[in-house]
């Protein structure tokens, strides 16, 4: 590490991976509940398992983003972090608040939790991904503001680079758009507008800035390509992301009672959304092919390349498959949506966080890269997780196509539950793929404990 305060990132990354494991475990519980309806009922009802699964996804990614910022911002700014103590304080506040929220989900009926936490004072609960009680939401805002103060002061007092400024813009956007989670109108159409301004403008807006900055940072370090070249690519990618992503929010307005013109605006700009992800894939491979050094951390390079490919497939290709209004009329709310969501979140955000962890963890442990044995194990974990996620996506896509046919197209359409019975083979296959994914994640964790001669002993590149 160039700066001691970069070590603050380490607990954030450890917490992120631990929460990632929790997310996958609850995903497997849900996978079994699709097949065995009363599995773990009433201990963990399906709606609670789903809530924990999706909330852990958001929280572990936020921990990953914060850890990445605490590592790359000091290095880009060429100065120590403004306040490492403040960063550690917020780490524990965020972790404890998150843990108490999950315990609340599991221990108390959701309606009772709403009464206990003051939802009658300001009604914010009950919406997908934003189920957090009011005190948790307020805590998230406080943690985000302190975090942003910390990194903003670091940037303002140090060197300004494209990477640090794009990262900062993405993180400020993340915090600002989360404020719409406090807006919950009684009118359902207006409610959906505000809800999508959090959910969509996070994952198809400002989070893409964070993704681009993190990927650019790692590629500069592992390839040695001129910063100017990488920064030009970064600006092009984020420009296309924002142009297509912001107006592309319209693909969520098709069926909520919004004006008819969103059928066109949503379809056209959503159809363009794969472009920045394709650019990201070309960017990653182009930089690695032009590299001026063979970095000893081969696993981090693999994760970086995988991020470009899987983000394009999950967010780009699978997003495009059902984004046009005439197609979405039949596919919305089916397993095709779930297929897109799984691969997009894994490819775009989970993988870039794991790229960052793969690159920085050895450095924070006093070596340039893990041992060759460790990297072989880590690369096995990459392939197990990535291939199993591809199969999860394919099985859900097949289930979704059959669901559309049986439930919405057939001359004698089946009911929702009757259709679900016909999809069981795909749910079993999805569950098996999920188990393999968990094994891959276990290998990823295990790789950091595998000994041997460290890679920097055989390569002195910097």
């Amino acid at each position: 590490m160039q700066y001691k305060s970069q070590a603050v990132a380490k607990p954030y990354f450890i917490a992120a991976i631990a929460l990632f494991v929790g997310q996958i475990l609850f995903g497997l519980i849900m996978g079994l509940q699709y097949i065995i309806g009363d599995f773990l009922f009433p201990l963990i009802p399906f709606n609670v398992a789903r809530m924990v699964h999706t909330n852990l996804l958001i929280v572990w990614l936020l921990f990953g983003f914060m850890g990445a910022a605490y590592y790359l911002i000091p290095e880009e700014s060429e100065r120590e972090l403004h306040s490492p103590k403040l960063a550690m304080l917020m780490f524990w506040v965020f972790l404890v608040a998150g843990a108490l929220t999950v315990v609340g989900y599991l221990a108390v009926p959701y309606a009772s939790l709403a009464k206990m936490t003051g939802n009658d004072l300001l009604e914010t609960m009950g919406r997908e991904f934003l189920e957090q009680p009011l005190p948790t939401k307020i805590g998230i805002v406080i943690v985000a503001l302190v975090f942003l103060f910390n990194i903003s002061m670091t940037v303002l007092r140090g060197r300004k680079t494209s990477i640090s400024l794009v990262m900062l813009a993405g993180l400020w956007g993340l915090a600002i758009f989360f404020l719409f989670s406090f807006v919950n109108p009684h009118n359902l159409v207006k409610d959906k507008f505000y809800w999508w301004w959090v959910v969509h403008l996070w994952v198809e807006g400002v989070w893409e800035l964070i993704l681009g900055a993190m990927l650019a940072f790692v590629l500069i370090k592992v390839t040695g390509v001129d910063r100017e070249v990488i920064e030009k690519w970064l600006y092009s990618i984020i420009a296309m992301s924002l142009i297509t992503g912001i107006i592309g929010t319209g693909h969520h307005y098709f069926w909520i009672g919004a004006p008819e013109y969103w059928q066109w605006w949503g379809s056209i700009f959503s159809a363009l959304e794969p472009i920045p992800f394709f650019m990201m894939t070309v960017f990653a491979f182009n930089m690695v092919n032009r590299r001026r050094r063979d970095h000893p951390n081969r696993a981090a390079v693999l994760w970086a390349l995988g991020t470009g490919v899987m983000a394009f497939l999950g967010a780009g290709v699978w997003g495009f498959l059902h984004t046009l209004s005439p197609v979405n009329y039949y596919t919305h709310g089916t397993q095709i949506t779930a297929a897109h969501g799984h691969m997009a979140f894994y490819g775009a955000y989970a993988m870039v966080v794991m790229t960052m962890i793969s690159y920085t963890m050895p450095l924070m442990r006093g070596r340039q890269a893990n041992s060759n044995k460790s990297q072989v194990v880590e690369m096995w974990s990459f392939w197990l997780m990535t291939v199993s996620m591809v199969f999860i996506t394919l099985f859900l896509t097949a289930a979704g196509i059959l669901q559309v046919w049986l439930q919405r197209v057939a001359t004698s359409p089946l009911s929702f539950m009757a259709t679900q019975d016909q999809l069981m083979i795909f749910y079993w296959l999805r569950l098996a793929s999920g188990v393999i994914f968990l094994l891959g994640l276990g290998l990823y964790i295990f790789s950091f404990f595998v000994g041997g001669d460290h890679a920097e002993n055989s390569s002195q590149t910097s």
Side-chain angles (χ1 to χ4, degrees):
M1 292 185 301
Q2 296 185 29
Y3 301 94
K4 290 182 180 180
S5 57
Q6 288 177 291
V8 167
K10 190 173 182 180
Y12 281 86
F13 287 149
I14 292 171
I17 294 300
L19 293 169
F20 190 15
V21 172
Q23 184 214 344
I24 302 308
L25 289 173
F26 275 91
L28 292 176
I29 289 172
M30 290 170 59
L32 267 173
Q33 289 175 337
Y34 262 89
I35 301 164
I36 306 169
D38 58 356
F39 178 69
L40 290 183
F41 184 84
L43 183 63
I44 306 178
F46 178 84
N47 67 305
V48 173
R50 187 177 188 277
M51 201 157 49
V52 175
H53 178 66
T54 55
N55 279 227
L56 285 177
L57 166 67
I58 295 167
V59 173
W60 89 257
L61 288 175
L62 291 180
F63 268 104
F65 293 163
M66 294 167 78
Y70 281 135
Y71 189 92
L72 75 82
I73 291 294
E75 195 158 319
E76 289 292 298
S77 302
E78 295 183 340
R79 71 181 306 273
E80 295 287 358
L81 184 66
H82 177 69
S83 176
K85 290 182 179 178
L86 205 55
M88 286 307 304
L89 175 63
M90 288 302 102
F91 167 78
W92 288 111
V93 169
F94 194 21
L95 188 64
V96 171
L100 289 176
T101 301
V102 171
V103 170
Y105 291 158
L106 295 171
V108 182
Y110 192 67
S112 302
L113 184 64
K115 291 181 181 179
M116 292 167 54
T117 55
N119 192 58
D120 54 333
L121 299 175
L122 181 62
E123 296 178 346
T124 69
M125 295 175 68
R127 291 181 290 176
E128 187 181 7
F129 300 119
L130 303 178
E131 299 96 343
Q132 305 84 23
L134 180 61
T136 302
K137 286 190 175 78
I138 293 172
I140 291 172
V141 171
I142 293 170
V143 169
L145 288 175
V146 174
F147 162 70
L148 288 167
F149 166 77
N150 209 352
I151 61 170
S152 296
M153 292 300 293
T154 307
V155 172
L156 289 172
R157 293 180 175 180
R159 181 182 69 155
K160 283 79 174 173
T161 69
S162 297
I163 290 174
S164 63
L165 293 176
V166 169
M167 185 75 171
L168 195 61
L171 292 166
W172 270 103
L174 185 158
I176 290 168
F177 285 114
F178 181 73
L179 295 177
F180 288 111
S181 68
F182 291 91
V183 183
N184 191 4
H186 290 289
N187 182 295
L188 190 60
V189 178
K190 292 180 180 179
D191 167 72
K192 286 300 179 185
F193 269 96
Y194 289 118
W195 183 74
W196 283 117
W197 290 356
V198 181
V199 177
H200 174 93
L201 291 176
W202 263 18
V203 301
E204 296 178 58
V206 293
W207 280 27
E208 291 184 26
L209 274 65
I210 300 168
L211 161 63
M214 290 167 64
L215 191 59
F217 175 80
V218 173
L219 288 172
I220 284 177
K221 299 301 178 182
V222 300
T223 65
V225 173
D226 288 342
R227 178 178 288 269
E228 291 77 11
V229 175
I230 287 180
E231 288 177 345
K232 288 176 182 176
W233 273 95
L234 177 60
Y235 280 131
S236 301
I237 290 168
I238 64 169
M240 284 301 300
S241 297
L242 294 177
I243 291 168
T244 61
I246 292 174
I247 303 178
T249 311
H251 66 232
H252 299 296
Y253 299 165
F254 291 160
W255 322 118
I256 66 170
E260 189 176 350
Y261 57 76
W262 283 114
Q263 303 281 330
W264 287 97
W265 285 102
S267 295
I268 292 168
F269 279 86
S270 294
L272 298 174
E273 284 192 63
I275 294 174
F277 288 102
F278 179 71
M279 292 171 66
M280 201 172 294
T281 305
V282 175
F283 164 56
F285 278 87
N286 193 18
M287 294 307 102
V288 171
N289 288 334
R290 295 172 60 176
R291 63 184 179 270
R292 295 181 175 181
R293 65 169 71 114
D294 287 319
H295 198 277
N297 196 334
R298 294 172 292 119
V301 175
L302 180 62
W303 280 108
L305 293 174
T307 298
V309 173
M310 293 296 287
F312 171 63
L313 290 175
V317 175
W318 256 260
F320 177 78
L321 287 178
H322 66 139
T323 200
L324 299 178
S325 172
V327 177
N328 193 261
Y329 178 79
Y330 294 98
T331 63
H332 73 280
T334 67
Q335 294 298 332
I336 292 176
T337 306
H340 161 59
H342 278 78
M343 187 182 275
F345 264 109
Y346 174 70
Y349 300 117
M351 288 185 78
V352 80
V353 170
M354 298 179 88
T355 299
M356 196 74 184
I357 294 173
S358 181
Y359 171 72
T360 60
M361 268 297 193
L363 295 168
M364 288 188 284
R365 298 170 74 188
R367 49 185 178 264
Q368 195 173 39
N370 287 329
S371 69
N372 290 326
K373 290 181 181 178
S374 173
Q375 290 193 57
V376 168
V377 174
E378 185 178 348
M379 287 188 281
W380 266 100
S381 77
F382 167 90
W383 287 112
L384 280 175
M385 282 191 280
T386 303
V387 172
S388 61
M389 182 55 70
V390 169
F391 276 103
I392 288 172
T393 304
L394 291 174
F395 294 140
L396 287 174
T397 302
I401 293 170
L402 183 57
Q403 181 182 7
V404 168
W405 175 258
L406 294 176
Q407 192 177 326
R408 297 178 176 176
V409 177
T411 51
S412 300
L414 299 179
S415 67
F416 175 81
M417 292 307 295
T419 302
Q420 294 301 305
D421 289 337
Q422 303 301 313
L423 307 180
M424 283 300 160
I425 180 63
F426 299 112
Y427 292 153
W428 276 113
L429 292 169
R430 187 262 302 269
L431 181 64
S433 300
V435 171
I436 296 172
F437 187 95
L438 180 62
L439 292 174
L441 181 55
L443 270 185
Y444 182 81
I445 297 168
F446 176 69
S447 71
F448 289 95
F449 299 95
V450 175
D453 294 331
H454 300 306
E456 72 269 26
N457 294 335
S458 59
S459 176
Q460 295 300 317
T461 56
S462 59

